Amino acid sequence: MINSRASPERRRVMKILVIGPSWVGDMVMSQSLYKAIKVNHPECELHVMAPAWCCALLERMPEVDKAITMPLGHGDFKLVARRRLGKQLAAEQYDQAIVQPNSMKSALIPWFARIPVRTGWKGESRYGLLNDLRSNKSAFPLMVEGYLALAYPKEQMKSRADIPTIPHPALHVDLIN
C-alpha cells in the first residue's frame, strides 16, 4: 500500500567543483566566475579548491559554499597524491568541474574524481582530462573574461562580446565599530 502522505522525492542539488587559481589577485578576479555560476545555477552547491593562502578570501565570497584547501604545493606534480585526492572527492558526486589553471596537473584531480563534465581552457596536454575543452581563449583577452567564459556553454561564448556583464568582486568584510 502506498502512503499518500509520503513526502515528495527531494531533487538533488547540482554540485560544481572549481579548481581555483593559486595567486591571491587571480582569486579575487575569479569571484566574477563564481557570481556567474550562481546566476546560471542559483541553487547549485559551489565548492572551490585552492591553496591555503587563498581560502580566507573564499570564505569572504558569499557565492562559495565550501572552500577546500589544496593539500599539494604549487608546482608539485605528485601523481599518486592527486589520484588519492580525486578518489576522495568522488564521494561528493560533483556534476561539473571548472578548472581555472591551464596546467595538466590541475585537470588531473577532477578526472580522477570521475566528474562527468570537466570544463577548462586548452593547454598543457589536457585532451581527455577535460571533456568540455575550450580552445578560443584569445577571443577573451582579459583574464577575468576568460574566467567568465567558463561559466557558460561554449556554444554561447564565441568572444568577449558574448559575456553579458562582468560582475565586480565584492568580498564580505567584518565592520569594526
Side-chain angles (χ1 to χ4, degrees):
M1 182 175 187
I2 298 174
N3 182 352
S4 61
R5 292 184 162 199
S7 62
E9 284 187 34
R10 289 183 51 195
R11 190 172 50 117
R12 187 178 168 283
V13 173
M14 180 180 193
K15 290 179 81 173
I16 299 172
L17 172 67
V18 175
I19 305 298
S22 294
W23 307 110
V24 172
D26 295 349
M27 184 57 73
V28 171
M29 278 191 288
S30 72
Q31 188 181 16
S32 298
L33 166 65
Y34 311 150
K35 286 182 173 191
I37 290 170
K38 285 293 191 165
V39 166
N40 294 341
H41 308 285
E43 295 180 13
C44 82
E45 208 174 301
L46 179 61
H47 298 185
V48 180
M49 178 177 278
W53 57 81
C54 289
C55 286
L57 282 172
L58 291 170
E59 291 168 4
R60 301 290 182 175
M61 297 180 185
E63 303 78 20
V64 176
D65 296 300
K66 182 178 181 182
I68 303 169
T69 300
M70 168 61 92
L72 305 171
H74 181 72
D76 289 343
F77 187 73
K78 298 188 178 177
L79 183 63
V80 172
R82 287 180 190 278
R83 182 176 182 274
R84 187 177 323 113
L85 184 55
K87 297 288 185 188
Q88 290 170 352
L89 289 173
E92 291 283 347
Q93 298 182 327
Y94 291 107
D95 299 288
Q96 181 180 13
I98 297 175
V99 182
Q100 289 184 270
N102 290 324
S103 66
M104 180 183 73
K105 66 182 180 273
S106 61
L108 284 167
I109 293 169
W111 184 74
F112 284 131
R114 297 179 185 242
I115 298 172
V117 178
R118 299 176 305 277
T119 303
W121 291 105
K122 181 175 90 173
E124 238 185 59
S125 302
R126 290 151 48 114
Y127 300 100
L129 297 176
L130 300 177
N131 56 11
D132 180 21
L133 192 63
R134 312 297 175 89
S135 60
N136 62 334
K137 192 170 186 179
S138 63
F140 304 94
L142 300 178
M143 183 178 289
V144 69
E145 293 169 343
Y147 287 169
L148 274 171
L150 297 174
Y152 300 94
K154 66 179 160 186
E155 303 79 31
Q156 187 179 336
M157 290 287 118
K158 302 293 183 200
S159 72
R160 70 190 311 178
D162 297 323
I163 296 173
T165 58
I166 297 177
H168 296 287
L171 302 175
H172 283 198
V173 296
D174 298 325
L175 298 176
I176 299 173
N177 293 330

